[in-house]
């Protein structure tokens, strides 16, 4: 039986990846979390690991000897990356390097999937949409720059050391259980709070014209396991829906499902220092390589995320 190691499994995506592997893959699962985090799952071995601790990364890899490594651990917030660029560089670049170096020292070659971001493409020109994997990278924020760097280092390790490393660029993924630091979850939470009378019937928003490529986190983790089985070493793969949707349209969907009359307030504090107008993935490489298809509509994701917040607030 193959053994999968998920590094950074206590976050939003990790939980869904565990669910999916348990349901659809015949693999044993070892996961890591930060010491202060909690993971309680049946049939899953849970270990503490800070990827900035190089020795700890090596000893965990030597002890567990996984076949597949999903590297999810990251400082994943664009907003925090402006406030704390040093931490973001440390975790997303140095931490990933620690994982790659730990793997390089092993006496066998596990498959590694490095999780990057659609944000790496940054300031994309109109004629470059939908964005292919070989597009020029022009990162527009610190988080994006660190993920672009992780991708480049992953490619170099695959070429220089013959390591079995693949990279994904995941576009915006959303779903129940996501923190309200991310736009869809934030709006759903605000709508659920309004329904419960916990706030004035006004949703505070940032830049509504930005277009992003949203997909359901459950579709995203299916793409990750499909790539683990069928992806080609040294390659990067976009993971997304292939359709950019304006934040305004997302908001309209949420207002449609909300059981309250809600007005919109543009809050200057929510506008990012630099915003990238349109990001949309070309996912033909992922589809061609794995046969993966999107299964969950944005409407369903939004309805379920709103329902999640209703339950959280109950
Ligand atoms: O920051 P925390 O305490 O929430 O922990 C996060 C963890 N993490 C670390 N793990 C090990 N060593 C570190 N030095 C370290 N710093 C942070 O990685 C969290 O539990 C996990 C990442 O989960 P989320 O922030 O919820 O990200 P999400 O949405 O699950 O995204 C997974 C991957 C990331 O690489 C994103 O950049 C990418 O997908 O979009």
């Amino acid at each position: 039986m193959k053994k999968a190691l998920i590094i950074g499994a206590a976050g939003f995506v990790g939980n869904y990846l565990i669910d999916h592997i348990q349901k659809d893959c015949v693999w044993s699962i070892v996961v890591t979390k930060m010491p202060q985090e909690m993971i309680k799952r049946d049939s899953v071995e849970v270990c503490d690991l800070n990827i900035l601790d190089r020795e700890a990364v090596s000893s965990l890899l030597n002890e567990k000897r996984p076949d597949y490594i999903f590297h999810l651990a990251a400082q994943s917030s664009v907003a925090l990356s402006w406030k704390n660029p040093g931490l973001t560089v440390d975790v997303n670049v140095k931490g990933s390097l620690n994982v790659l170096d730990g793997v390089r020292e092993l006496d066998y070659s596990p498959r590694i999937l490095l999780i990057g971001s659609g944000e790496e493409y940054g300031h994309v020109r109109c004629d470059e949409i939908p964005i292919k994997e070989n597009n020029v990278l022009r990162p527009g924020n610190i988080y994006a720059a660190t993920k672009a760097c992780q991708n480049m280092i992953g490619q170099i390790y695959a070429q220089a050391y013959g390591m079995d490393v693949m990279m994904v660029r995941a576009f915006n993924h959303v779903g129940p259980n996501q923190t309200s630091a991310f736009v869809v979850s934030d709006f759903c939470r605000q709508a659920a709070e309004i329904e419960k009378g916990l706030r004035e019937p006004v949703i505070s928003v940032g830049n509504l014209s930005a277009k992003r490529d949203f997909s359901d986190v459950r579709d995203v983790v299916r793409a990750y396991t499909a790539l683990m089985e069928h992806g080609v070493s040294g390659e990067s793969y976009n993971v997304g829906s292939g359709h950019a949707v304006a934040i305004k349209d997302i908001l309209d969907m949420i207002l449609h499902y909300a059981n309250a009359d809600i007005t919109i307030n543009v809050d200057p504090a929510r506008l990012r220092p630099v915003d990238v107008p349109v990001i949309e993935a070309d996912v033909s490489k992922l589809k061609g390589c794995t046969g993966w298809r999107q299964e969950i509509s944005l409407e369903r994701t939004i309805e379920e995320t709103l329902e999640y917040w209703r339950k959280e607030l109950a």
Side-chain angles (χ1 to χ4, degrees), residues 66-77:
D67 301 288
Y68 299 148
I69 302 171
F70 296 89
H71 177 42
L72 303 181
Q75 191 306 91
S76 63
S77 157

Side-chain angles (χ1 to χ4, degrees), residues 19-44:
D19 283 346
H20 167 56
I21 293 176
Q22 286 193 319
K23 188 166 154 276
D24 294 319
C25 309
V26 191
W27 303 342
S28 65
I29 311 175
V30 180
V31 304
T32 81
K33 63 173 189 67
M34 290 289 270
Q36 73 278 7
E37 295 179 307
M38 284 279 289
I39 300 180
K40 276 196 172 167
R41 310 285 291 226
D42 291 335
S43 315
V44 171

Side-chain angles (χ1 to χ4, degrees), residues 141-198:
N141 59 65
I142 305 298
Y143 167 77
T146 62
K147 289 291 183 173
C149 189
Q150 175 189 258
N151 178 292
M152 290 171 191
I153 292 171
Q155 252 182 73
I156 289 166
Y157 271 54
Q159 284 161 11
Y161 304 121
M163 285 169 55
D164 196 359
V165 187
M166 296 169 296
M167 286 67 62
V168 297
R169 297 200 180 102
F171 289 65
N172 299 59
H173 32 296
V174 293
N177 217 27
Q178 189 172 35
T179 90
S180 53
F182 293 87
V183 64
V184 173
S185 198
D186 176 29
F187 290 171
C188 287
R189 180 188 181 151
Q190 291 190 53
E193 285 175 351
I194 290 166
E195 286 180 355
K196 289 233 161 350
L198 298 174

Side-chain angles (χ1 to χ4, degrees), residues 10-295:
F12 171 57
V13 176
N15 265 301
Y16 284 99
L17 184 56
I18 296 171
D19 283 346
H20 167 56
I21 293 176
Q22 286 193 319
K23 188 166 154 276
D24 294 319
C25 309
V26 191
W27 303 342
S28 65
I29 311 175
V30 180
V31 304
T32 81
K33 63 173 189 67
M34 290 289 270
Q36 73 278 7
E37 295 179 307
M38 284 279 289
I39 300 180
K40 276 196 172 167
R41 310 285 291 226
D42 291 335
S43 315
V44 171
E45 189 182 347
V46 182
C47 309
D48 283 348
L49 180 70
N50 183 335
I51 55 169
L52 296 178
D53 183 341
R54 172 76 181 78
E55 293 301 311
V57 170
S58 271
S59 68
L60 181 112
L61 290 169
N62 272 303
E63 190 189 324
K64 304 303 172 196
R65 298 181 69 80
D67 301 288
Y68 299 148
I69 302 171
F70 296 89
H71 177 42
L72 303 181
Q75 191 306 91
S76 63
S77 157
V78 172
L80 184 60
S81 79
W82 288 113
K83 292 182 193 136
N84 200 340
L87 174 75
T88 309
V89 170
D90 283 349
V91 176
N92 295 359
V93 180
K94 191 75 201 307
S96 298
L97 201 60
N98 285 343
V99 171
L100 288 167
D101 279 334
V103 170
R104 186 156 80 91
E105 285 171 2
L106 294 170
D107 55 3
Y108 74 103
S109 190
R111 301 215 90 183
I112 314 161
L113 191 64
L114 299 177
I115 312 300
S117 170
E119 293 264 356
E120 291 170 43
Y121 296 110
H123 297 279
V124 177
R125 296 197 308 253
C126 294
D127 61 339
E128 294 171 330
I129 289 173
I131 311 156
K132 286 195 186 304
E133 287 82 353
N134 58 4
N135 207 88
V136 177
L137 303 181
R138 308 180 195 96
N141 59 65
I142 305 298
Y143 167 77
T146 62
K147 289 291 183 173
C149 189
Q150 175 189 258
N151 178 292
M152 290 171 191
I153 292 171
Q155 252 182 73
I156 289 166
Y157 271 54
Q159 284 161 11
Y161 304 121
M163 285 169 55
D164 196 359
V165 187
M166 296 169 296
M167 286 67 62
V168 297
R169 297 200 180 102
F171 289 65
N172 299 59
H173 32 296
V174 293
N177 217 27
Q178 189 172 35
T179 90
S180 53
F182 293 87
V183 64
V184 173
S185 198
D186 176 29
F187 290 171
C188 287
R189 180 188 181 151
Q190 291 190 53
E193 285 175 351
I194 290 166
E195 286 180 355
K196 289 233 161 350
L198 298 174
R199 62 158 64 220
E200 295 293 306
V202 179
I203 289 193
S204 292
V205 299
N207 184 352
L208 286 182
S209 64
K211 289 186 163 183
R212 293 290 182 270
D213 183 316
F214 291 94
S215 31
D216 191 286
V217 61
R218 291 159 286 196
D219 280 335
V220 170
V221 297
R222 278 194 307 104
Y224 293 174
T225 57
L227 283 168
M228 202 51 109
E229 290 185 298
H230 305 292
V232 176
S233 183
E235 293 292 320
S236 297
Y237 297 90
N238 288 338
V239 174
S241 71
H243 302 287
V245 178
I247 307 295
K248 168 86 173 64
D249 296 334
I250 300 267
L251 189 54
D252 286 343
M253 284 183 218
I254 294 168
L255 297 187
H256 170 76
Y257 289 118
N259 302 318
D261 279 334
I262 299 173
T263 52
I264 312 287
N265 168 47
V266 177
D267 174 2
R270 288 171 179 264
L271 297 171
R272 285 186 193 159
V274 178
D275 222 338
V276 181
V278 183
I279 299 181
E280 181 180 85
D282 182 324
V283 286
S284 52
K285 186 172 174 185
L286 167 70
K287 287 180 170 176
C289 173
T290 65
W292 174 92
R293 292 288 179 276
Q294 182 185 358
E295 289 180 354

Side-chain angles (χ1 to χ4, degrees), residues 176 192 195-196 303-314:
E195 286 180 355
K196 289 233 161 350
E303 237 186 318
E304 291 182 6
T305 305
L306 186 56
E307 193 53 35
Y308 159 77
W309 279 113
R310 288 179 180 134
K311 287 193 180 126
E312 278 290 295
L313 298 171

